[in-house]
Amino acid sequence: MGRYDGDAFQAAYDKVLSKWPADREALRVPTPFGTTHVNACGPADAPPLVLLPGGGGATSTSWYAQAAHLARTHRVLAVDLIGAPGRSEPAADRHPRTVADLAAWLDALLDGLGVTEADFGGHSYGAWIALHHAVRAPDRMRRLFLLDPTQCFAGFKAAYLLHALPMLLRPTPARVRAFLDWETGGAAGLDPDWLRLQEAAAGFPAARPVTGPRLAPDALRVLNTPVLLLVAANSIAHDPYKVTARAGELLPRAEIDVVPGVSHHALPQSAPPELARRLSEFLGERPE
């Protein structure tokens, strides 16, 4: 494994964070699983919007292309996942091992932020976490948007896992870059500073992420939370049309669409006008 350079990671993190609105602030929230780092912006009295990033080296900074737009109407609270690359500090003797642990961590995070209920958004693995939380704590989630969620409505493609395997077994900057080049067709649409952050995260001393089966169909069929599902048309993590078809069968209150011209890893840090428009329309609606 390549040697992890903490200084290089922090510098790369700050470089991407500099793309956020000038009023951003860092919040540190104690939870039973450690201290969670939240990058926040927008009016303090606006409705809260909790954003969960994908896995790997995504971090909360990955929402930079959407943060200013979303902060017009919401208090944006972008979270560094506990135990993953970022600035959250996991407890030495306890980290999430199950979906129930993740739910307890999010509940403690909301309590620490003084938030009773919030809108949520997640990308990839973060969408998987958010969807599980919607089922377990529907009273705390007003609306939920999912950007190319993995392991929610369809499994990974075998080719995706095979290409990811070298990076997962022995993460190095070169392997991270090679995988992202492959998935995006030459890193098209990816910001160079964001790419450097992904490379710098290789070898980050992270805990093993919580994984598990997809949610039971019966649990999704009774989910009353309004959901916006946007799938990347060029995603090769899974079959986009299997995802949309299955979600359409299961989710009773869902808007579902495919975002053209974008790959899995280019969301949400790319900013196609269609994405900003759909998020604004969805979050601007008042739930029944």
Side-chain angles (χ1 to χ4, degrees), residues 177-247:
R177 181 58 182 260
F179 174 72
L180 291 173
D181 279 347
W182 170 78
E183 197 280 326
T184 60
L190 297 184
D191 181 272
D193 295 323
W194 184 86
L195 276 172
R196 280 191 284 273
L197 178 55
Q198 308 319 296
E199 294 170 356
F204 187 98
R208 183 173 181 173
V210 176
T211 58
R214 294 195 288 275
L215 280 158
D218 288 347
L220 293 175
R221 289 191 179 103
V222 298
L223 180 64
N224 197 44
T225 303
V227 176
L228 172 65
L229 170 61
L230 296 178
V231 181
N234 297 348
S235 177
I236 50 180
H238 43 213
D239 184 325
Y241 298 97
K242 284 185 179 179
V243 172
T244 58
R246 186 61 172 159

Side-chain angles (χ1 to χ4, degrees), residues 33-69:
F33 298 93
T35 301
T36 301
H37 183 92
V38 179
N39 286 310
C41 64
D45 60 350
L49 170 61
V50 177
L51 300 177
L52 302 179
T59 81
S60 61
T61 66
S62 296
W63 297 96
Y64 69 86
Q66 312 301 330
H69 189 83

Side-chain angles (χ1 to χ4, degrees), residues 90-109:
D93 57 349
R94 187 180 183 190
H95 59 83
R97 298 178 184 275
T98 65
V99 173
D101 287 342
L102 287 176
W105 164 65
L106 278 175
D107 280 334
L109 175 62

Side-chain angles (χ1 to χ4, degrees), residues 76-236:
V76 172
L77 302 164
V79 180
D80 280 345
L81 301 179
I82 199 80
R87 289 180 173 165
S88 292
E89 297 176 3
D93 57 349
R94 187 180 183 190
H95 59 83
R97 298 178 184 275
T98 65
V99 173
D101 287 342
L102 287 176
W105 164 65
L106 278 175
D107 280 334
L109 175 62
L110 293 176
D111 291 343
L113 290 167
V115 171
T116 302
E117 62 174 3
D119 293 324
F120 272 73
H123 170 235
S124 188
Y125 177 59
W128 180 84
I129 296 173
L131 186 61
H132 272 278
H133 198 62
V135 169
R136 287 174 171 266
D139 57 325
R140 306 208 74 168
M141 191 172 295
R142 298 174 68 237
R143 290 167 295 204
L144 169 64
F145 71 78
L146 306 172
L147 301 184
D148 215 45
T150 50
Q151 294 293 89
C152 292
F153 308 105
F156 287 112
K157 284 186 174 181
Y160 183 85
L161 295 176
L162 286 172
H163 277 84
L165 193 59
M167 175 186 68
L168 297 174
L169 291 176
R170 186 173 177 268
T172 66
R175 289 184 174 194
V176 170
R177 181 58 182 260
F179 174 72
L180 291 173
D181 279 347
W182 170 78
E183 197 280 326
T184 60
L190 297 184
D191 181 272
D193 295 323
W194 184 86
L195 276 172
R196 280 191 284 273
L197 178 55
Q198 308 319 296
E199 294 170 356
F204 187 98
R208 183 173 181 173
V210 176
T211 58
R214 294 195 288 275
L215 280 158
D218 288 347
L220 293 175
R221 289 191 179 103
V222 298
L223 180 64
N224 197 44
T225 303
V227 176
L228 172 65
L229 170 61
L230 296 178
V231 181
N234 297 348
S235 177
I236 50 180

